[in-house]
Amino acid sequence: MMLRSLRSAVATTASLAAVGGAMAVMAAPSAAMADEGMWTFDNFPVQTVNQKYGTHLDQAWLDRLRLASVRISGCSASFVSPEGLILTNWHCVVGCSQELSNPQQDYVKNGFTARTREEELRCPGQTAEVLTEIVDVTARVQAAGQGLEGAAFNAARQAEITKIQNEACAGDDTFSCQVISLYRGGQYSLHKFRKYDDVRLVFAPENQAAFFGGDPDNFNFPRYALDAGFLRAYEDGKPAETPTFLKWNPEAPKEGDVTFVSGNPGSTSRLLTMSQLERLRDQQLPVTLIQNSELRGRLLEYSLTGDEAKRVSFDPVFGLENSFKVYYGQQAALTDPEFMAAKRAEEDELRAKVAADPNLVQQIGDPWADLARVQTTATELYLPYRQLEASAGGGSQLYAWARTLIRAAKNPTMTEAQRARLSEAVGAETPVSTDMEEIRMRYWLSKTREYLTVDNPQVKAMLGRESPEALADRLISGTKLTDPAFRRQAVGMTVEQLSAADPLLAFVAGNDQAARAIADRWAAEVNAPTARAAEKVAQARFAVYGTNQYPDATFSLRLSYGDVRGWTYRGVTVPAFTYMGGLYERATGSEPFNLAQAFADNESKVNKEVVYDFASTNDIIGGNSGSPVVNADGEVIGAAFDGNIHSIGGAYGYDPELNRTVSVSTAAITEALRNVYPNPRVLEELGVR
């Protein structure tokens, strides 16, 4: 399940090891193989798709799909009515469900249904964005850093990017503008979005319906999950007018039907060099796995202490478990000899072609050697950078607010308008579990001491004479940042005033200089030379293979194509479809295979012949969660929510024989809205009778 990063699945070590071997069959860099690719909308291979599938796609078709596609926090979605109704995954709205819940009303466990527009509840901090414009700004961005190195290079590039974004949005808060790096810096695109800041929850099923089978089924198939939810975009207190939307098709697709997935894949690393992949394998992924595993254990232990603890920890544990499994699968791919041999052969082929062209060598030098040298520096800086900056606070929301406020107070260039927006953002009514916050702070402080050692100057400065446990207790129990009114008031304070007003703010202020120092070193000594060298690798790819390539994923809008299809692995054929009747057959009565209450109560009403979930060859990754799956007519027929076990290594490569996208069908969603969670209002809005 693809969460806001990537919901994945429990798998045995043997199964995960097999993933790497399966991944070893990869496309030649010169052209996408089979249905491979997360393509930008301005470089989608329309002719290739039309020839292969007999479709009649054109620019108008692409434009309609782009303008109906929605990016929400960490996920993808789509407009499915002219009144701002948004289809996405349940696991993309479960955070909202949890924030709106309380000990008396648990919308995660029991689900949420708004019977009227007035009952639709605003999701704290949620936004919805629609990509309205794409402009190539490569020349401007690359020229800005010409002749510069390190911090100066970063500053010049960032200044130009900020200038481009400000020019494009021109101070209009209804839009957001973002310069996206593509092909690891080989190209830069300005993406302009129509933005909706008022997004409300319309429908979410019970968690047991959406996540039936739990971790054992996760990242596997067959699946029986109603991983779907509805939001609505509002503007000026009214449902937004969204004339470009996807027509709802309540019929399930057939095997072999062409499918398109439009969404925002989060991050892939298919264009990384071998030295970069090896550092991921040898340092970054192992550290991440170890720390995630320990934090998961602490949160799971806490979840067993009572009903309220179980409620507030559900979504954090859910996300942490799944991200852990993704990293585990990625590590399995990178430790598979066959997979890495294929990656090395791919790199060797490109380097040989470059070496055969003296003009190209003169132009780009040896960026692979440059990147290898950067990895030495990155290895040295990674742990302090991770502990003091990148993962500081261990995921604590209170710590994140404190750091935001301290850094805003230190920023003399912030305008009144920017401070007003910050005040609104940090002052949103967001429930905070102080128990969970303390667990995260204790964990982070203890791991920082462990990884950087007791005698490290920054560790000494952070802890003083306190233990991680005592310090975490003092900071969390004493902070006022749980109060939204105080957070809004704090936006106007100086650093000195903030430090005097609150112990957590004082702690962050006292340690921020060290955090910023290591962040500056990472930016200057790792990010800047990586960006320069990666641009040259991209130039090499363009020179050797042309521009008919898709870039790595960057949580920007992409379109993949494929068809509805199962797969065969080691003599076992997995069909493309599951049916609603299969849910009842698979149910055992014991977690995680117990029926959701509404499905149990309404079994006699459910049409068990309806297609529940289906598999397709579309190439996706985390961030694609909630992406609309559409047919050749541009109608929505499902919502992507997962990949199969063979797609775990999809961050590094794609195997057309085995990689599959898993989606919940609109047929199943329609059936559920009719007979399990009756909602005639939404069905009518979807045009379903």
Side-chain angles (χ1 to χ4, degrees), residues 273-292:
T273 64
M274 287 303 298
S275 64
Q276 291 174 301
L277 291 175
E278 286 164 352
R279 190 182 71 81
L280 277 176
R281 178 196 66 195
D282 298 339
Q283 184 189 39
Q284 188 167 327
L285 282 172
V287 170
T288 301
L289 281 165
I290 290 168
Q291 291 210 19
N292 280 12

Side-chain angles (χ1 to χ4, degrees), residues 62-225:
L62 289 172
D63 289 344
R64 284 193 299 273
L65 181 53
R66 171 174 56 81
L67 292 171
S69 299
V70 178
R71 184 170 73 171
I72 60 177
S73 298
C75 275
S76 302
S78 58
F79 285 126
V80 289
S81 91
E83 297 181 278
L85 188 65
I86 296 171
L87 170 68
T88 187
N89 288 151
W90 164 85
H91 74 261
C92 294
V93 303
V94 67
C96 173
S97 296
Q98 183 148 335
E99 289 177 334
L100 295 174
S101 297
N102 55 54
Q104 291 72 46
Q105 180 58 273
D106 188 347
Y107 294 129
V108 176
K109 179 181 179 182
N110 302 320
F112 175 87
T113 298
R115 301 296 176 184
T116 65
R117 293 277 172 87
E118 291 70 30
E119 292 181 5
E120 295 175 359
L121 300 179
R122 186 167 184 170
C123 292
Q126 184 61 273
T127 60
E129 296 179 316
V130 177
L131 181 59
T132 60
E133 188 176 357
I134 305 172
V135 179
D136 186 353
V137 294
T138 306
R140 284 186 64 176
V141 175
Q142 291 184 346
Q146 203 69 31
L148 301 175
E149 301 292 340
F153 173 87
N154 287 334
R157 280 282 180 92
Q158 189 54 55
E160 186 63 20
I161 286 172
T162 300
K163 183 178 179 182
I164 293 168
Q165 293 173 165
N166 290 342
E167 288 173 356
C169 275
D172 188 342
D173 288 341
T174 61
F175 289 90
S176 65
C177 296
Q178 181 182 6
V179 172
I180 307 282
S181 172
L182 301 170
Y183 305 98
R184 298 282 161 182
Q187 186 181 101
Y188 291 86
S189 290
L190 169 70
H191 286 201
K192 186 174 183 178
F193 300 90
R194 177 68 171 86
K195 184 175 64 173
Y196 301 91
D197 289 324
D198 184 352
V199 179
R200 306 185 190 183
L201 185 62
V202 176
F203 168 75
E206 301 155 278
N207 64 338
Q208 190 53 33
F211 197 40
F212 177 84
D215 284 335
D217 270 3
N218 214 0
F219 236 134
N220 279 293
F221 200 79
R223 294 294 294 277
Y224 301 89

Side-chain angles (χ1 to χ4, degrees), residues 195-412:
K195 184 175 64 173
Y196 301 91
D197 289 324
D198 184 352
V199 179
R200 306 185 190 183
L201 185 62
V202 176
F203 168 75
E206 301 155 278
N207 64 338
Q208 190 53 33
F211 197 40
F212 177 84
D215 284 335
D217 270 3
N218 214 0
F219 236 134
N220 279 293
F221 200 79
R223 294 294 294 277
Y224 301 89
L226 189 69
D227 198 346
F230 288 97
L231 302 167
R232 190 183 305 279
Y234 277 71
E235 190 172 19
D236 298 326
K238 301 175 183 178
E241 294 181 6
T242 52
T244 305
F245 64 94
L246 300 179
K247 181 181 178 183
W248 187 269
N249 185 334
E251 301 299 323
K254 304 292 190 297
E255 187 153 8
D257 283 358
V258 62
T259 51
F260 301 90
V261 174
S262 175
N264 301 277
S267 177
T268 55
S269 301
R270 298 179 185 180
L271 300 182
L272 291 186
T273 64
M274 287 303 298
S275 64
Q276 291 174 301
L277 291 175
E278 286 164 352
R279 190 182 71 81
L280 277 176
R281 178 196 66 195
D282 298 339
Q283 184 189 39
Q284 188 167 327
L285 282 172
V287 170
T288 301
L289 281 165
I290 290 168
Q291 291 210 19
N292 280 12
S293 178
E294 180 168 340
L295 179 58
R296 176 183 62 173
R298 294 189 184 202
L299 295 182
L300 282 171
E301 282 298 308
Y302 170 70
S303 73
L304 299 176
T305 60
D307 291 342
E308 180 62 5
K310 183 177 181 179
R311 184 186 73 80
V312 299
S313 63
F314 176 85
D315 188 41
V317 170
F318 181 37
L320 192 62
E321 285 190 330
N322 285 279
S323 62
F324 172 84
K325 291 153 202 164
V326 171
Y327 294 131
Y328 186 57
Q330 291 177 356
Q331 181 73 352
L334 294 184
T335 53
D336 181 87
E338 187 179 354
F339 175 76
M340 291 297 274
K343 293 295 289 187
R344 188 173 297 280
E346 178 186 306
E347 182 173 299
D348 288 346
E349 176 190 297
L350 176 58
R351 296 182 72 171
K353 290 180 181 294
V354 170
D357 184 343
N359 291 331
L360 188 54
V361 172
Q362 185 175 11
Q363 179 184 350
I364 69 170
D366 189 353
W368 293 273
D370 295 339
L371 285 167
R373 284 189 288 272
V374 171
Q375 301 320 302
T376 301
T377 303
T379 299
E380 175 190 344
L381 297 181
Y382 177 68
L383 286 177
Y385 172 66
R386 175 189 175 87
Q387 294 306 123
L388 300 177
E389 174 67 12
S391 298
S396 161
Q397 178 62 70
L398 294 171
Y399 183 95
W401 280 327
R403 185 163 70 173
T404 296
L405 291 166
I406 291 296
R407 292 186 175 177
K410 289 181 175 182
N411 183 359

